[in-house]
Amino acid sequence: GNSVTQMEGPVTLSEEAFLTINCTYTATGYPSLFWYVQYPGEGLQLLLKATKADDKGSNKGFEATYRKETTSFHLEKGSVQVSDSAVYFCALSRRSSASKIIFGSGTRLSIRP
Amino acid sequence: SQTIHQWPATLVQPVGSPLSLECTVEGTSNPNLYWYRQAAGRGLQLLFYSVGIGQISSEVPQNLSASRPQDRQFILSSKKLLLSDSGFYLCAWRARGANTEAFFGQGTRLTVV
């Protein structure tokens, strides 16, 4: 079946450090891939997305590249800020009538000043 | 533009009491609708999804039910709450037939005491 695996948290970094949160997926065909962010007490917001192989999604300094050969969609940011502290979810969706979105377990990120 | 409303924001209910959470979407027609639950410190569990009025699919057996009485209204219910029903409930919508992102409400924090 379809699934998403992302690195366990929590991840704690100092401000201005480089960030990588790993995400790999299992799915048949060509799913769309997403990263969502959840700030404390809030719903999920779309951070970035990619709909086909080799696409790069980017937003707010975050980037992720859709790698079909390694079935991965790792999230990166060159210099994190305290305001980036949140929970990050990797997700996929296949083209089907039900259009379910499958989420990873989430990675909590904490940035120290 | 499309918006999604979810209420109430927080709810404290005694064990054995009924539950009704409501979600409405504006600015779109025929959306796919979803209910997710997030237990404390955990990932997202898909509870129900709906591709049309009166069409409900359940992902996991549980103490909850869902209904879609109107195109843009999705209701999560329970006749008798259990302690294990506590969690953060999120409603989401996405465009029918498109493999695009889902949009989330702000969530309802339910505590069963």
Side-chain angles (χ1 to χ4, degrees):
Chain A
N2 304 317
S3 66
V4 175
T5 302
Q6 60 181 107
M7 65 188 290
E8 293 280 337
V11 174
T12 303
L13 297 172
S14 297
E15 202 166 22
E16 299 183 1
F18 183 84
L19 168 71
T20 299
I21 301 178
N22 290 337
C23 171
T24 57
Y25 68 89
T26 301
T28 56
Y30 297 89
S32 290
L33 301 173
F34 311 93
W35 276 102
Y36 282 83
V37 59
Q38 184 181 32
Y39 298 103
E42 298 185 7
L44 274 68
Q45 303 174 27
L46 179 70
L47 181 59
L48 52 84
K49 66 180 180 181
T51 58
K52 60 182 187 294
D54 300 324
D55 268 2
K56 177 186 283 188
S58 60
N59 185 26
K60 299 180 181 179
F62 291 89
E63 293 183 340
T65 301
Y66 189 143
R67 301 288 188 198
K68 181 71 174 174
E69 63 277 12
T70 55
T71 62
S72 64
F73 193 54
H74 304 322
L75 182 68
E76 297 182 336
K77 186 174 185 181
S79 177
V80 292
Q81 305 300 313
V82 172
S83 57
D84 293 326
S85 299
V87 180
Y88 292 81
F89 291 92
C90 185
L92 72 81
S93 174
R94 289 191 58 232
R95 302 176 191 278
S96 70
S97 60
S99 297
K100 291 184 286 185
I101 295 186
I102 307 300
F103 286 87
S105 56
T107 302
R108 183 173 298 278
L109 174 66
S110 296
I111 307 300
R112 294 188 300 253
Chain B
S1 64
Q2 303 91 354
T3 56
I4 179 168
H5 302 281
Q6 188 180 341
W7 67 92
T10 60
L11 192 58
V12 179
Q13 292 283 99
V15 169
S17 63
L19 173 73
S20 180
L21 302 181
E22 188 162 344
C23 173
T24 59
V25 181
E26 297 178 355
T28 188
S29 297
N30 303 315
N32 286 342
L33 296 172
Y34 308 86
W35 278 111
Y36 286 87
R37 177 169 61 198
Q38 186 178 25
R42 305 285 296 278
L44 290 165
Q45 179 185 36
L46 179 61
L47 302 176
F48 301 94
Y49 66 93
S50 172
V51 299
I53 296 174
Q55 301 179 58
I56 308 295
S57 296
S58 174
E59 286 293 290
V60 292
Q62 58 208 320
N63 186 41
L64 302 168
S65 62
S67 62
R68 185 171 177 173
Q70 301 180 45
D71 180 47
R72 291 170 289 177
Q73 183 184 28
F74 205 25
I75 298 171
L76 183 70
S77 303
S78 174
K79 292 182 180 179
K80 289 186 177 182
L81 283 169
L82 306 172
L83 286 174
S84 58
D85 292 323
S86 294
F88 193 50
Y89 290 81
L90 290 159
C91 181
W93 76 272
R94 92 192 275 203
R96 179 84 57 85
N99 202 13
T100 58
E101 65 269 27
F103 299 90
F104 284 80
Q106 287 299 295
T108 296
R109 174 74 59 192
L110 172 66
T111 303
V112 182
V113 296

